[in-house]
Amino acid sequence: QVQLVESGGGLVQAGGSLRLSCAASGGTFSNYAVAWFRQAPGKEREFVAGISRLYGITNYADSVKGRFAISRDNAKNTAYLQMNILKPEDTAVYYCAARPSVGSRRVGDFPSWGQGTQVTVSS
């Protein structure tokens, strides 16, 4: 399975922006659909955004649509999550996940996960 490492989290004021990165190794990155999930304290892990293997087809949770953008660079084995107009309710640990072939919104469908990166949005 591909190994994933997230980076780019931090503390930001409401209305600000952050860009998360997800670096992959140990597999052919273009064979994997990628998704970002997040988990806030006391809450279940939830889907944020996903992108297909080759053609960059994207989909988003309603809560982030229009504010977040997922992308990938298969030549660099890296996926990204650009987060704009951040809100305090976006505060969570953000995880990158990958699965072979087609994408999914379900946590249990992803065999490969990064360690997570903390995003904190102050009001």
Side-chain angles (χ1 to χ4, degrees):
Q1 300 292 350
V2 66
Q3 289 80 50
L4 305 171
V5 178
E6 302 98 335
S7 61
L11 173 64
V12 63
Q13 288 188 333
S17 298
L18 281 175
R19 188 175 84 152
L20 306 182
S21 297
C22 172
S25 62
T28 303
F29 187 56
S30 59
N31 287 346
Y32 292 82
V34 174
W36 288 92
F37 291 79
R38 66 187 182 187
Q39 188 166 18
K43 295 188 176 182
E44 292 187 351
R45 194 168 298 188
E46 64 175 3
F47 172 83
V48 174
I51 188 166
S52 66
R53 295 184 299 130
L54 295 175
Y55 300 111
I57 299 171
T58 60
N59 64 106
Y60 298 92
D62 288 344
S63 59
V64 306
K65 202 172 292 184
R67 299 188 298 122
F68 289 13
I70 187 172
S71 61
R72 66 189 296 163
D73 185 338
N74 286 342
K76 295 183 178 180
N77 293 338
T78 304
Y80 305 94
L81 184 68
Q82 177 67 44
M83 305 185 295
N84 300 322
I85 317 174
L86 282 160
K87 304 176 181 180
E89 51 264 43
D90 294 319
T91 295
V93 177
Y94 282 72
Y95 297 90
C96 176
R99 71 186 301 261
S101 190
V102 300
S104 170
R105 292 187 173 214
R106 299 191 300 182
V107 171
D109 286 344
F110 287 82
S112 299
W113 291 85
Q115 81 289 352
T117 185
Q118 176 70 46
V119 172
T120 303
V121 184
S122 62
S123 57

